[in-house]
């Protein structure tokens, strides 16, 4: 009986064919300048200086901030992504020492990343000394920091980190998270936006598809790179899956 109810509900939805859907999309008028601003916003906030300069020349749109400041942030991001956390800290202090002085959580995460790099390089004695001198005192003052410190130290319990339950700390995405957190703090100190608009718009896209799917069967976007639309008959629970993927992407960045 429940199966009949589901079928009836499915059939009660309005169906929009791919051809009709494409026509509806073509009728939507979007200002090209708005799209250019969206792309430039992403390049500037994420620190892609060369891309921002090239795009500026192509579309005649000036970046919202000085490109030299983009280079500073890119150097700091690259230092962390290469495992050179000390260099990143020095560069940040040269840029604005108040950034780390006023953000203890960020500073702890940078020091935590230094500890991870010691462990990655197999410098166990240095890792233990650094954890005791630099991180343990902060953990005693903050339960959240202590939990993160304990999780990091758990890396030492496994010779093979690929089977460690905390092995994700050695994944490149961990460096990316730390770099993005620092990048956002620098932007905030410069009274700039800290989050690019594009990822949020993608999340809104899949949320809207999921909401509309409650009432209408229509072609959904499957591939963000090609903007491919999936025929109605091939769609099954795609909306929730897509939202989960976008959510994981956001967690990886931040």
């Amino acid at each position: 009986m429940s199966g009949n109810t589901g079928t009836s509900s499915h059939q009660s939805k309005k169906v929009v064919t791919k051809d009709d859907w494409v026509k509806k999309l073509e009728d939507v008028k979007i200002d090209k300048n708005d799209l250019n601003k969206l792309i430039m916003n992403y390049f500037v906030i994420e620190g892609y200086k060369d891309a921002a300069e090239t795009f500026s020349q192509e579309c005649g749109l000036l970046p919202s901030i000085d490109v030299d400041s983009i280079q500073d942030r890119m150097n700091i991001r690259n230092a962390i992504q290469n495992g050179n956390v000390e260099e990143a800290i020095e560069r940040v202090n040269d840029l604005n020492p108040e950034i780390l002085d006023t953000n203890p959580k960020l500073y702890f995460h940078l020091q935590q990343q230094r500890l991870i790099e010691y462990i990655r390089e197999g410098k166990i004695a240095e890792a233990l000394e650094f954890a005791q001198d630099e991180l343990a005192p902060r953990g005693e003052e903050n339960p959240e920091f202590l939990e993160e410190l304990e999780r990091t130290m758990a890396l030492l319990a496994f010779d093979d980190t690929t089977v460690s339950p905390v092995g994700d700390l050695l994944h490149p995405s961990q460096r990316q998270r730390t770099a993005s957190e620092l990048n956002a703090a620098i932007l905030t100190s410069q009274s700039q936006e800290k989050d690019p608009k594009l990822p949020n718009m993608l999340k809104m896209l899949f949320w809207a598809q999921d909401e509309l799917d409650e009432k209408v069967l229509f072609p959904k976007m499957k591939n963000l790179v090609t903007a491919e639309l999936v025929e109605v008959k091939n769609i099954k629970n795609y909306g929730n899956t897509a939202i989960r993927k976008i959510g994981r992407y956001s967690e990886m960045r931040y």
Side-chain angles (χ1 to χ4, degrees):
M1 185 173 180
S2 60
N4 293 335
T5 302
T7 301
S8 175
S9 175
H10 179 82
Q11 292 177 342
S12 66
K13 291 183 180 180
K14 178 180 178 180
V15 177
V16 180
T17 65
K18 185 175 181 178
D19 288 342
D20 288 342
W21 192 249
V22 169
K23 289 178 182 178
K24 291 179 182 293
L25 293 177
E26 291 175 346
D27 288 338
V28 177
K29 304 302 179 183
I30 300 176
D31 191 321
K32 186 176 181 179
N33 192 52
D34 289 338
L35 291 178
N36 289 340
K37 289 180 180 178
L38 183 66
I39 296 170
M40 181 64 78
N41 170 265
Y42 182 82
F43 287 153
V44 168
I45 292 180
E46 289 300 307
Y48 296 115
K49 178 189 175 186
D50 293 343
E53 290 180 323
T54 300
F55 189 68
S56 176
Q57 294 172 359
E58 291 178 351
C59 68
L61 180 66
L62 293 177
S64 58
I65 62 176
D66 182 9
V67 292
D68 289 336
S69 67
I70 300 178
Q71 184 64 54
D72 289 334
R73 288 189 292 111
M74 189 163 61
N75 290 338
I76 292 169
R77 178 188 285 276
N78 288 341
I80 292 180
Q81 291 179 333
N82 290 329
N84 300 322
V85 184
E86 287 184 84
E87 177 189 339
I89 292 175
E90 290 176 2
R91 287 181 176 275
V92 172
N93 285 332
D94 289 341
L95 188 65
N96 183 353
E98 291 186 2
I99 294 174
L100 298 183
D101 289 344
T102 58
N103 197 330
K105 185 175 183 179
L106 171 61
Y107 186 69
F108 176 84
H109 285 160
L110 289 171
Q111 297 294 66
Q112 179 190 23
Q113 191 64 45
R114 287 182 66 185
L115 175 60
I116 292 171
E117 301 303 338
Y118 277 130
I119 296 174
R120 188 196 310 275
E121 296 168 11
K123 298 179 178 178
I124 306 306
E126 291 92 332
L128 292 172
E129 182 179 359
F130 184 77
Q132 181 177 354
D133 294 344
E134 299 293 336
L135 295 175
R138 303 178 191 281
E140 292 175 357
E141 299 172 357
N142 189 312
E144 181 183 351
F145 293 169
L146 180 60
E147 182 178 344
E148 293 190 54
L149 174 58
E150 291 174 345
R151 186 168 184 269
T152 305
M153 296 301 291
L155 285 169
L156 299 174
F158 293 83
D159 293 330
D160 182 2
T161 56
T162 61
V163 299
S164 169
V166 293
D168 60 291
L169 293 175
L170 295 175
H171 193 274
S173 61
Q174 168 62 27
R175 287 178 172 175
Q176 177 70 21
R177 275 192 294 270
T178 305
S180 293
E181 183 181 0
L182 180 54
N183 183 62
I186 295 172
L187 286 166
T188 299
S189 74
Q190 297 172 343
S191 300
Q192 300 290 332
E193 291 180 89
K194 66 177 183 177
D195 299 318
K197 295 183 174 67
L198 188 57
N200 285 332
M201 291 192 68
L202 294 177
K203 285 191 284 186
M204 289 177 62
L205 165 67
F206 287 114
W207 173 84
Q209 286 189 154
D210 202 46
E211 289 292 301
L212 184 58
D213 189 51
E214 295 292 324
K215 300 179 180 179
V216 181
L217 289 175
F218 64 101
K220 294 189 177 112
M221 187 175 295
K222 177 179 180 182
N223 190 315
L224 292 176
V225 176
T226 64
E228 175 188 358
L229 293 174
V230 183
E231 292 281 6
V232 174
K233 60 183 179 181
N234 295 328
I235 297 173
K236 184 178 181 181
N237 297 327
Y238 180 74
N240 289 328
T241 302
I243 289 176
R244 285 196 294 272
K245 287 182 178 179
I246 292 295
R248 285 198 297 271
Y249 170 72
S250 298
E251 290 173 3
M252 182 181 72
R253 292 182 61 253
Y254 303 112

